[in-house]
C-alpha cells in the first residue's frame, strides 16, 4: 500500500520505519531534513509539503506535537486536504483535543475523506518495537479499514467509538494516571517518614484497594521497582512536561463541558512546580520529590 | 486459649464469633448490652469492665471506633492494663493514629505486656466470613505469637514492621484509595460527557496506565461493574464517613511529620462536601456525583 | 479627533457613546447591525470592516471578547493594520493574554503604529458612567498620547509599564479577587454554622487582618452589605463565567512562565462547579452557595 | 481587683505586666519558674498550682498554647474550677476550638462561674503595648463585667456573641488571612515574572477589587512595604507554624459541622510545605517563596 506519513518526530520516525519494514511504499514529510534523509536512506520517498506527500497515497497518517500543527497539516494551503484523493482514509495519531479532531473530520468528510483519531500509548520504546496501543475513534467501517495498517505499528488496536473518542480515552486515562501517581507519592513519602519500609508498604498496597499501575509497575519511591525510572534518578520514562501537556488537554476539555476537575487541576500545579524547579524533563514520577524534605532522605 | 475481646461493634462482633467457632474460650466487654447478650448466647462469658474481662485471659484483642476509646480501654482506671497479667499479648485492631499506638505500646511494655497494632481491611463482609486482611505492627517474635489467633479471623496476615506500622500501612493504602477513586470519578464523568461509552472507557483504562482497583473492581460509574456499589445506588460498601475518618488520620499523621498532603487534603474536602449534602452514609464512590450535572445525565 | 471604535458589545457601546458625547468624530465597526444602527442614530458613522473603519482615523480603539477576535481585528485581511495610517495610536481595551498583546504590538510597530493595551475594570456601570479604570501598558510617550482620549471614558488611568503590563495587572488583580472571594465565602459560611452572626463576623474581619474588598464591599453572605449582589439573589454584578475567563487567562499566563497557581487553579474549579450547576450567569460571589447545605440552613 | 493569671508565655507575660501597671493585685501560675520570678519581681504573687492561684481571686484569666492545656488548667485536679470562688468571672484568652470553650463554660456554669472566651489579635507587639484586640464570646452581662479588665490589655474589645463566638471570629478571620496571603503571593510572583514592577502591581491591586490587608499592609513581595516582614527576610511577624495551628482549628471546626474548606485545606498544605522545608519559624508571608524559582529571581 502507498502510505503518506506526515511528522517524523521521536514517535513518528520509528512508526514510519515499521511501515517500511512491513513492505509498504512510503512518502514522508517533515520540516527536519535530517530525519527525512534518514528515512529516505531506508527506502522512503519524500515530498516538500504535506499536500505533495499525499498526492499519490492510498492511506495518510499524521503524527504531530500539538493541535496547531495538526490543523495546519490538514487545512493549510499546502496541507493534506488540498492534495489527497477522494476516499483515501486519514489517520491522525497526534495527541490533541477532541474538538479539533471533530472539526477536521467534518472538513475532511466534506470532500469525501474519512478521518480517524488514533492517539497512542507505549512511548518511544513501543513505537520502535511496534507494540504501541492505538486508541481509535472512527466509524466501525473506518476502524476495519485502518486496522491492518495500524497493526504494523502496534499490538493493541482499541475501537473507542466515533471520531474524537480516541482522544477522549487517552486524555481520561492520563488524567487518572497523573492523579494516582501523586496519590502514591503522597502515601509512599508519608509511610516512610512514619517508619514503614518502602517495599513492604508497596507490597501491601499492591495487594489491597490502593493497588494501581503507579504503585505496582511504576512506583515513584526509589528501589521499590528496579525497572522504574525512580530507580534510575527519574531519567527516561514519561517526562513531566508531557504529563503537563495531557493534563492541559484534560483541563481544556473539561472547561468545554463545564465540568470541574478538582484533583486534576491540582495535580497539574504539582507537575508545574516540578517544571518550575527545572525538572520538567525528568520522568513524571519525580513529583514525589516535592514530598520529601530537601535535605536528607 | 482464653481470649478477652473488647469492643463488639459491626466489625468486632463477627470477629469474636469466629474466635468462638474456632474453639477459644471468650470473655467479652462492650457497653452495648444487647450485643454482649447475643455473644453470651453463643458461648462467650462477659465482664462489666475491660479490666475484669482481661483478668484471666491469655490473649487480649480490642476493636474500637477511635483513638479516644482505645486510650480509655487500655489506660483507664478500669482498663486493660489495670487488669491484665504480665506477659499476655495485646492486639489492637482498631484503626487509629500510629502515635497513639506507640504511646500505648510503651505503657504496656512498662508492665511487661507486648502490644501489636493490627488494623484490618475487608469490611463487615470479611469480618463475618473470616477473610479479613490484618496489617500487623509488631516485633517478629510477637507477630509469630499473635498469628495463630488472627488466622481464625482473617486470611491475610501481613507483617508491616514494628509497632505502629500496621496503622501506617492502612492509612497510606486508604489515602491512595481515597484519591484514586476521585481521579477515576473525574475521568469517567468527563469521558462520558465528551461522548465515550462508560464501559468502553473503563475497559481501556483497565488495560492501560490508569488501571487501579477504583476503576477495575469498584468503578464509580453506574453499570460498569455490576457488583460495585455504583450499580446499586451507592448503598452498602465503604461509607464516605469512614473514608473521611481515615483521611483525617492521614492528615494528622502527615501534620506530625510536617509533610503536606496536597491531593489527600483536597480529597478530604470532596468527601466532606458529600457528607454535607447528606450522603455521608453512601459508599464513598458516590463522590462521582459531584462531577455530574444535577439535572439529567 | 477622528476615532475608530471596533467592537460595540456591552462594554464597547457605552464607551463609544461617551466619546461621542465628548465631541469626537466616530467611525464604528461591529458585526451586530442593531448596535451599529443605534450608535449611528447618535451621530457615529459606520464602516463594513475594521480596515475601512480605521482608514481616516487619528486614533483606534478595540474592545472585543477574546484574543481570537482581537487577533482577527488587527491582523485579518480586512483588519486594522491593513487600513490604518502610519503613526496613528492603537488602543486595545479587551481583556486578553499579555503574549497576544505583545505579538500584535510587534506587528503594529513594524508598520509604524504604536499599540497600547488598556483593559478596564468597573463593569458596564462604569462604562456607562464614564468612570472606568484603565490599566495601560505603553511606553511613557504613548501613555501621554492616549490619556486624553481614555479620560473621556474613565476616571482612573493607571500606567502599568510597557506593552502587555495592562493585561498583567488586570489578570493578577482578578486572580486575587477570585481567590479572596472564596476565602471569605468559606469563612462566612463556617462562622455562621458555628453560631456567630454574619454581620458581626464581617464587622470583625473588616477591621482586622482578613479585611478585603470581597468582605467589606462585596460580602457574599446575604444581608451583610445591602448593595452587594448577595443581597439580591446574586443577580447583576460580575458573572461567574467572566471570572472563569479571567482565571483561565491567569492559568495560561502562569503556564507560560512555568509557575504553579495552587489556589488559583482550585478557585477556577469552584467557579466551574458553579457554572456546571447552571449558575454561571450569577454574580461570582454566589460561589458561597457551594458551602451551604442544599436543604434548609 | 485581685486577678489570677494562668499562663505566662510570649503573650501572657506582657499581658500580665499591663495588669500590674494598671494597679491590679496579681497572682500568677506557670510551669516556667524564670518567668514567674520575673513577674514576682515586678510585684505579682505566685502560686504553685492554678487551683491555689485562683483561691482569693475576683477575676481569672488564662492564656495557654492549646486546648489540651486549657482543659487541664480548668478541669484538672489542681485546676481553676477546683479552687475558684462561686461567681468569679473566668476569661480564657487562648486560641482554641469553640467546642472545647463551650464544654468548659458548661462545666464552669454548673458551679456558678461564667466563662468568656476572648482570643486576641495583635501579636507580642500588641501584648506589650496593651493594644491587643479581644474577640469576646460572652453573654451581654458578662461582656460588660470583663470589659474594664480587658481594657487594661487591649484597645479593641469586640463582643462577638455568646460563649465560643470569640474563637469563631478569630478562626474565621485567620482563615481568610491565610488564604488571601497565598492569593496575593500567587499574583505578585506571577505579575513580576510577566514583566510588571512589584510596587506598581501592588499599587493597582490596592486601589482595586483585589485590595486586602495581605497586599496593602503586609505584602509578601520584598520591598513593596518597607515595614512588612517580607522586607526583612521574613523574620519576626506571625510564624507559619502559628498560621498552621489556626488553619488546623478551622479545619477541625469545619469537620464538626461537615463543611468542606477547599481553599483553606489547600492553604494549610502550602504552609505545611513551608514548615517541611524548615521555614516554619519564618513569617507566614514567606509562603511566596514557593512560587519563585529556586535559583535567580
Amino acid at each position: 500500500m502507498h502510505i503518506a506519513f506526515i511528522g517524523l518526530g521521536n514517535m513518528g520516525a520509528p512508526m514510519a520505519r515499521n511501515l517500511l519494514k512491513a513492505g509498504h511504499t512510503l512518502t514522508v514529510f517533515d520540516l527536519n531534513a535530517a530525519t527525512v534523509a534518514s528515512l529516505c536512506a531506508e527506502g522512503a520517498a519524500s515530498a516538500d509539503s504535506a499536500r505533495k506527500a499525499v498526492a499519490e497515497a492510498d492511506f495518510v497518517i499524521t503524527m504531530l506535537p500539538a493541535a496547531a500543527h495538526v490543523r495546519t497539516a490538514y487545512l493549510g494551503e499546502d496541507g493534506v486536504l488540498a492534495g489527497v484523493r477522494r476516499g483515501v482514509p486519514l489517520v491522525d495519531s497526534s495527541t490533541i483535543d477532541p474538538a479539533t479532531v471533530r472539526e477536521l473530520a467534518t472538513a475532511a468528510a466534506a470532500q469525501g475523506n474519512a478521518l480517524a483519531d488514533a492517539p497512542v500509548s507505549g512511548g518511544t520504546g513501543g513505537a520502535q518495537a511496534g507494540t504501541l496501543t492505538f486508541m481509535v475513534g472512527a466509524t466501525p467501517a473506518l476502524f476495519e479499514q485502518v486496522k491492518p495498517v495500524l497493526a504494523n505499528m502496534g499490538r493493541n488496536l482499541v475501537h473507542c467509538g466515533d471520531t474524537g473518542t480516541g482522544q477522549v480515552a487517552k486524555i481520561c486515562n492520563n488524567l487518572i494516571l497523573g492523579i494516582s501517581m501523586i496519590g502514591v507519592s503522597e502515601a509512599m513519602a508519608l509511610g516512610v517518614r512514619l517508619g514503614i519500609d518502602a517495599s513492604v508498604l508497596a507490597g501491601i498496597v499492591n495487594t489491597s484497594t490502593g493497588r494501581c499501575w503507579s504503585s505496582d509497575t511504576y512506583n515513584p519511591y526509589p528501589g521499590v521497582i528496579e525497572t522504574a525510572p525512580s530507580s534510575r534518578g527519574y531519567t527516561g520514562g514519561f517526562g513531566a512536561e508531557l504529563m503537563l501537556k495531557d493534563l492541559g488537554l484534560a483541563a481544556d476539555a473539561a472547561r468545554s463541558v463545564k465540568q470541574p476537575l478538582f484533583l486534576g487541576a491540582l495535580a497539574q500545579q504539582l507537575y508545574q512546580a516540578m517544571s518550575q524547579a527545572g525538572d520538567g524533563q525528568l520522568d513524571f514520577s519525580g513529583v514525589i520529590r516535592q514530598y520529601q524534605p530537601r535535605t536528607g532522605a
Side-chain angles (χ1 to χ4, degrees), chain A residues 142-206:
Chain A
L142 180 58
F143 179 63
E144 292 307 318
Q145 202 180 353
V146 305
K147 247 166 98 168
V149 174
L150 299 187
N152 297 137
M153 301 180 288
R155 201 156 47 188
N156 300 305
L157 311 179
V158 187
H159 188 207
C160 301
D162 283 344
T163 312
T165 54
Q167 300 295 351
V168 172
K170 176 155 188 193
I171 287 173
C172 290
N173 180 76
N174 284 11
L175 173 60
I176 298 175
L177 173 62
I179 290 169
S180 64
M181 180 54 80
I182 300 182
V184 173
S185 295
E186 295 193 350
M188 291 298 302
L190 178 61
V192 171
R193 286 297 302 277
L194 293 172
I196 198 169
D197 176 78
S199 293
V200 169
L201 176 54
I204 293 165
V205 166
N206 295 345

Side-chain angles (χ1 to χ4, degrees), chain A residues 107-138:
Chain A
Q111 66 173 59
N113 295 93
L115 182 144
D117 55 312
V120 300
S121 67
T124 53
Q128 284 156 19
T131 58
L132 293 169
T133 292
F134 283 88
M135 289 160 269
V136 186

Side-chain angles (χ1 to χ4, degrees), chain A residues 133-287:
Chain A
T133 292
F134 283 88
M135 289 160 269
V136 186
T139 58
L142 180 58
F143 179 63
E144 292 307 318
Q145 202 180 353
V146 305
K147 247 166 98 168
V149 174
L150 299 187
N152 297 137
M153 301 180 288
R155 201 156 47 188
N156 300 305
L157 311 179
V158 187
H159 188 207
C160 301
D162 283 344
T163 312
T165 54
Q167 300 295 351
V168 172
K170 176 155 188 193
I171 287 173
C172 290
N173 180 76
N174 284 11
L175 173 60
I176 298 175
L177 173 62
I179 290 169
S180 64
M181 180 54 80
I182 300 182
V184 173
S185 295
E186 295 193 350
M188 291 298 302
L190 178 61
V192 171
R193 286 297 302 277
L194 293 172
I196 198 169
D197 176 78
S199 293
V200 169
L201 176 54
I204 293 165
V205 166
N206 295 345
T207 55
S208 184
T209 52
R211 167 173 64 74
C212 58
W213 186 89
S214 294
S215 175
D216 66 23
T217 303
Y218 214 78
N219 199 291
Y221 202 91
V224 171
I225 310 271
E226 285 311 320
T227 54
S230 56
S231 294
R232 52 173 193 264
Y234 304 100
T235 55
F238 185 61
E241 292 290 352
L242 291 173
M243 177 53 84
L244 269 173
K245 178 197 164 191
D246 288 1
L247 291 176
L249 289 172
D252 291 347
R255 213 184 294 176
S256 76
V257 292
K258 302 194 173 189
Q259 182 190 304
L261 284 186
F262 292 103
L263 294 201
L266 185 48
Q268 212 179 345
Q269 306 313 310
L270 288 159
Y271 294 111
Q272 191 67 79
M274 192 178 161
S275 172
Q276 187 181 39
D279 293 338
Q281 301 311 314
L282 293 185
D283 183 73
F284 77 116
S285 64
V287 74

